[in-house]
Amino acid sequence: MAAKKHESNSKPKKRNRNPDANANPDSSSSKKPKLVSSKPKNKPVEKVFKPFKKTFGKVKSQSGEEKKTPLSKRERRIHAKELTEARKKRRKQHYTLEQELARLWEKMRQRNIAKEERSKIITEAIQKMKGKIPEIASSHVSSRVLQTCVKYCSQTERDAVFDELKPHFLTFASNKYAIHLVTKMLDNASKKQLAEFISPLHGHVASLLRHTVGSVVIEHAYQLGNATQKQELLMELYSTELQLFKDLAIIKESRLVDVISKLNLQKGSVSRHMTSVIQPILEKGIVDHTIIHKVLIEYLSIADKTSAAEIIQQLSGPLLVRMIHTRDGSRIGILCVKHGSAKERKKIVKGLKGTVGKTAHFQYGSLVLACIVSTVDDTKLVAKTVIRELQTILKDLVLEKVYSSCSLEVILVTDIMEKGDVQNGRRPLLQLLNPNCTRYFSPDEMASLSLSISSLNAMGELEVNRETKSLKDEESSDKDNSGRDVTMAEADGSASSETLQLVEGGKKDPSIRRQELLVGSGLAKNLIDMCTENAEELLRSNFGKEVLYEAATGGSGGILQQTLGDELNALHEAIASVAAESKSEGSEKEHVLENFHSSRTIRKLVLDNPAFAATLWKKALSGKCEQWAQGHSSKVICAFLESSDAMVSKLAKEELQPLINRGILKLPEKKQPANEG
């Protein structure tokens, strides 16, 4: 029994076979023996070099057999071009038409072509495109052809193109090629066609403004539309109700606060809706358009403290530089400077680096710079970024020459010249010399400089008023203790009617800030030196004379007289030297005493600055008054007798009184002095 058991255990066990194995001997389930590779395992695999595959052409031999011969470079290029053309024909439905239009476009866009010839070519192109315009308008080739056709075609042909494109305007508004055709159509559209274009935009304004391309179309329509159409585009950005119901948007009120009260809208709901509209736009950086600036300024008028602070935080920096070229954009910039924190103001000032020159030349940009030099307490940063850049172009700013050596994406030199804004470069300088003077800022600009956000200003207004009152009390007590200060205050009393007190956004004393920026930075010295070198040119300039006058008088409050007395005397000598030049009859250039602008500037200096009056009399007019007693120069002579300073009038009375008695010099009746014995 034990032997049997041993035999049974020693037998090898057989594997269970698949019953289907015999039926299908070629089945993949059957195992095959593995072949042992003769190659070593660790040997690296060598890459097989594949030579350049040449293109061969088929050539028949004498025996009739075809042989492949390699093609030349020229033949390969032609063959590749044929393949490309075939592929484009398969992919583009109107490829052949586009090629024909491109050939016509090359002819019609030439400048030296005759009008009749161009009209024939345009008519031919429009006939070829008829019925297919919506399909080819989004092509980068066809859209250019259509733009040229719309520009030069007749009104009948233009109307036909407009009617064909009208159902598809909304689609084309967000196409990067068709957008140029849409804007060209709007430029040449009639009032009826413009209304037909703006009407379908209702309900899509917010979504298109979030689109980089679509926002350009909305801005173009906003610029071309009348007041009612602009209001319609704005209304649906204010509230969901105004977006859904078009009839509610047709109201006369333009300000958002008035719209809310008129339609009984909930202020919180409006604020939430506007936040949902504005935030994606700001996140994408689409801030160049006037319609967005208008929406932002209206939003800040109703926003709560947190929302307004978030908007200011988002805009503070390079984004703000792209906004200050418009009226509402500059107002937003002023609000950001006034209500921003020290960190945010630092970002704004640093964002202007490299663009200060062009910003100063721009009408609205100069207001933001004027606000910065009047508000920001970090005078070292302002002097380093703003003042230093202004110092390098002082002559260009004062003489209103466009400064073109710095780069700015939004504000171009051509834009400045087209909009007539080349008379504003001097205003940041005038703001430092004579702050908030209404002679240099219009009432609307003064209102912009005095703007504030109610939600951010409500809490701190009482504290600001208390601080301002205490500072005024300290200044008045200091002036009472110093006779010199009292005299200066009385001299400024005449200019108080022309100066508007604005709420300062900074905590630093305005006089200290002004002293640090104007005198401490070296700007005043460089400005006086420039005026001394170019005295005659500035006197004859319509705008440069204002800077010359402010510099020669020592600035508001005599801020320059204490530290730059010698430089001011040199400036007075330079002006008097120009006035002392002999009168030449044959010269085409008028004498400064006979020129309209310069004679009035010199007259004003005589009335307001006794030191200059004495210098001018001794160097230019003493013993020569008779030859200057007629014309514009007589106003300068009469100013000596009209001066409130007794020393000035006494200086000239001895020589001028005989001229008055002889009737050579005539004074206004009210200002004639009493004839003493």
Side-chain angles (χ1 to χ4, degrees):
M1 291 294 291
K4 286 182 179 180
K5 284 182 182 180
H6 180 72
E7 286 177 3
S8 62
N9 292 336
S10 63
K11 287 180 182 180
K13 292 183 179 180
K14 291 184 179 181
R15 186 176 57 177
N16 292 331
R17 286 190 174 186
N18 191 354
D20 298 331
N22 295 330
N24 189 9
D26 298 330
S27 176
S28 60
S29 59
S30 60
K31 284 193 174 182
K32 292 181 180 180
K34 292 183 180 180
L35 297 175
V36 180
S37 177
S38 60
K39 296 180 181 180
K41 292 183 179 180
N42 297 332
K43 187 177 180 180
V45 179
E46 295 181 359
K47 292 184 179 179
V48 181
F49 173 72
K50 293 182 180 180
F52 176 74
K53 189 177 181 181
K54 293 184 178 180
T55 309
F56 293 90
K58 294 180 180 179
V59 179
K60 286 188 177 182
S61 63
Q62 292 180 356
S63 60
E65 296 178 356
E66 291 185 352
K67 292 183 178 180
K68 292 183 178 181
T69 58
L71 297 177
S72 64
K73 287 184 178 180
R74 183 173 178 276
E75 289 172 338
R76 285 204 300 271
R77 272 200 310 272
I78 294 171
H79 180 65
K81 192 173 181 180
E82 289 174 355
L83 291 176
T84 305
E85 292 288 324
R87 185 170 63 252
K88 287 182 178 179
K89 284 181 182 179
R90 290 194 304 270
R91 191 177 62 191
K92 296 182 179 181
Q93 184 181 359
H94 302 288
Y95 178 73
T96 307
L97 175 61
E98 286 182 6
Q99 295 295 354
E100 294 174 4
L101 292 174
R103 285 191 287 271
L104 293 173
W105 183 54
E106 288 297 332
K107 297 177 182 178
M108 72 174 72
R109 73 192 185 106
Q110 294 177 5
R111 294 185 179 181
N112 55 355
I113 190 173
K115 288 185 178 180
E116 295 79 10
E117 183 67 22
R118 179 183 279 150
S119 298
K120 289 180 183 178
I121 297 171
I122 287 173
T123 304
E124 182 185 350
I126 291 176
Q127 287 297 325
K128 287 179 178 290
M129 290 185 289
K130 191 174 182 181
K132 305 171 187 175
I133 293 177
E135 299 172 13
I136 64 175
S138 57
S139 168
H140 70 96
V141 176
S142 305
S143 64
R144 285 172 170 82
V145 180
L146 278 166
Q147 288 172 58
T148 308
C149 290
V150 168
K151 183 178 180 180
Y152 294 110
C153 69
S154 63
Q155 189 60 43
T156 307
E157 292 171 332
R158 192 177 291 120
D159 293 341
V161 174
F162 185 89
D163 292 337
E164 198 168 339
L165 287 174
K166 187 166 61 175
H168 309 276
F169 271 141
L170 202 60
T171 306
F172 291 153
S174 55
N175 185 278
K176 66 178 179 179
Y177 297 121
I179 177 184
H180 304 292
L181 174 61
V182 173
T183 53
K184 183 66 72 176
M185 291 295 297
L186 290 178
D187 288 333
N188 295 278
S190 61
K191 291 183 179 179
K192 182 182 177 182
Q193 289 173 339
L194 183 61
E196 289 176 355
F197 174 80
I198 292 177
S199 183
L201 292 177
H202 183 77
H204 303 279
V205 177
S207 59
L208 285 173
L209 278 177
R210 290 193 294 268
H211 196 280
T212 310
V213 176
S215 61
V216 178
V217 177
I218 297 295
E219 171 67 10
H220 208 72
Y222 182 77
Q223 292 287 348
L224 296 173
N226 55 33
T228 306
Q229 290 167 340
K230 287 182 179 180
Q231 191 70 4
E232 288 178 10
L233 292 173
L234 283 169
M235 280 296 184
E236 65 176 272
L237 301 175
Y238 293 161
S239 174
T240 311
E241 292 85 349
L242 298 173
Q243 188 176 10
L244 294 174
F245 304 105
K246 192 175 181 180
D247 297 336
L248 291 176
I250 307 173
I251 58 173
K252 294 181 179 179
E253 283 72 10
S254 59
R255 294 172 63 242
L256 179 56
V257 178
D258 298 333
V259 171
I260 291 173
S261 60
K262 178 76 175 179
L263 299 177
N264 295 323
L265 300 174
Q266 293 183 356
K267 188 176 177 180
S269 175
V270 172
S271 180
R272 285 191 296 273
H273 177 76
M274 292 187 74
T275 303
S276 65
V277 170
I278 290 170
Q279 284 300 331
I281 294 173
L282 295 183
E283 288 171 4
K284 290 187 176 182
I286 308 172
V287 294
D288 303 304
H289 308 310
T290 54
I291 185 171
I292 294 172
H293 303 169
K294 181 67 176 175
V295 172
L296 282 170
I297 204 75
E298 292 293 344
Y299 175 71
L300 290 174
S301 66
I302 65 160
D304 56 16
K305 187 176 180 180
T306 306
S307 302
E310 287 177 358
I311 292 293
I312 289 173
Q313 187 177 3
Q314 280 183 284
L315 293 177
S316 297
L319 277 182
L320 199 62
V321 182
R322 294 163 53 194
M323 299 176 65
I324 57 180
H325 61 284
T326 67
R327 179 174 176 268
D328 290 323
S330 67
R331 291 187 167 192
I332 294 169
I334 290 169
L335 291 174
C336 289
V337 172
K338 280 191 171 185
H339 295 286
S341 63
K343 186 177 179 181
E344 288 158 0
R345 289 176 182 173
K346 187 175 181 180
K347 287 181 181 178
I348 293 170
V349 174
K350 283 191 172 182
L352 287 167
K353 188 176 183 180
T355 64
V356 175
K358 284 187 178 179
T359 305
H361 276 297
F362 209 77
Q363 178 184 357
Y364 300 113
S366 62
L367 291 179
V368 178
L369 290 179
C371 181
I372 287 173
V373 298
S374 303
T375 306
V376 179
D377 291 334
D378 190 353
T379 52
K380 287 186 178 180
L381 176 65
V382 176
K384 184 179 178 181
T385 307
V386 179
I387 303 298
R388 184 182 295 178
E389 210 166 316
L390 292 178
Q391 287 189 47
T392 59
I393 53 169
L394 277 178
K395 188 176 178 180
D396 295 335
L397 291 173
V398 176
L399 292 174
E400 305 305 337
K401 294 179 181 178
V402 178
Y403 177 59
S404 59
S405 63
C406 62
S407 59
L408 182 60
E409 294 178 2
V410 179
I411 308 172
L412 302 176
V413 174
T414 52
D415 296 337
I416 296 172
M417 295 180 72
E418 286 172 5
K419 297 181 180 180
D421 290 335
V422 293
Q423 70 273 18
N424 303 291
R426 71 198 188 286
R427 298 208 289 185
L429 303 174
L430 292 170
Q431 177 69 3
L432 286 170
L433 290 167
N434 193 354
N436 308 323
C437 182
T438 55
R439 288 201 304 269
Y440 311 128
F441 296 98
S442 67
D444 182 66
E445 290 166 346
M446 295 300 292
S448 297
L449 288 171
S450 61
L451 279 176
S452 62
I453 301 173
S454 56
S455 59
L456 295 177
N457 203 33
M459 298 298 293
E461 188 175 1
L462 185 60
E463 296 178 4
V464 170
N465 289 337
R466 285 176 180 172
E467 289 179 5
T468 308
K469 187 177 179 182
S470 63
L471 286 171
K472 286 181 178 179
D473 292 340
E474 290 176 6
E475 289 174 3
S476 61
S477 63
D478 291 340
K479 288 179 181 179
D480 291 337
N481 295 330
S482 174
R484 185 177 182 181
D485 290 341
V486 172
T487 308
M488 288 167 57
E490 288 174 358
D492 290 342
S494 60
S496 61
S497 59
E498 297 178 344
T499 305
L500 182 67
Q501 282 297 113
L502 302 178
V503 178
E504 295 290 341
K507 296 179 180 179
K508 186 179 286 188
D509 186 357
S511 60
I512 297 174
R513 183 192 303 113
R514 186 168 158 237
Q515 178 79 20
E516 291 174 353
L517 291 177
L518 191 57
V519 181
S521 65
L523 174 63
K525 187 179 184 304
N526 292 335
L527 182 62
I528 294 173
D529 292 342
M530 187 275 300
C531 291
T532 304
E533 293 172 5
N534 304 278
E536 184 177 359
E537 192 176 359
L538 291 172
L539 281 170
R540 297 178 186 278
S541 171
N542 189 19
F543 304 107
K545 60 186 177 64
E546 297 172 348
V547 178
L548 180 68
Y549 166 78
E550 293 293 347
T553 54
S556 176
I559 191 171
L560 307 181
Q561 291 175 355
Q562 297 177 5
T563 55
L564 299 169
D566 295 337
E567 286 81 359
L568 288 175
N569 292 334
L571 177 57
H572 296 165
E573 290 283 344
I575 299 172
S577 299
V578 175
E581 293 177 0
S582 59
K583 183 179 179 181
S584 55
E585 296 180 358
S587 177
E588 296 180 359
K589 190 164 58 174
E590 283 183 312
H591 195 277
V592 290
L593 293 176
E594 294 180 335
N595 180 269
F596 179 84
H597 297 297
S598 57
S599 62
R600 276 152 179 76
T601 305
I602 295 173
R603 177 183 179 275
K604 199 171 182 183
L605 283 170
V606 171
L607 291 172
D608 297 342
N609 196 297
F612 170 77
T615 304
L616 180 66
W617 178 261
K618 292 175 184 178
K619 193 156 189 171
L621 298 177
S622 181
K624 305 174 185 177
C625 291
E626 188 171 352
Q627 65 174 323
W628 303 113
Q630 301 295 328
H632 291 306
S633 58
S634 64
K635 298 181 182 297
V636 178
I637 303 298
C638 294
F640 283 89
L641 297 177
E642 297 170 17
S643 175
S644 58
D645 191 277
M647 294 290 292
V648 174
S649 57
K650 184 179 178 181
L651 191 68
K653 191 171 183 180
E654 184 179 349
E655 185 175 342
L656 297 181
Q657 190 62 48
L659 297 178
I660 296 171
N661 295 338
R662 288 159 55 190
I664 298 175
L665 183 65
K666 293 182 179 180
L667 288 175
E669 293 181 2
K670 294 181 180 179
K671 296 183 179 180
Q672 283 185 358
N675 191 0
E676 297 178 4

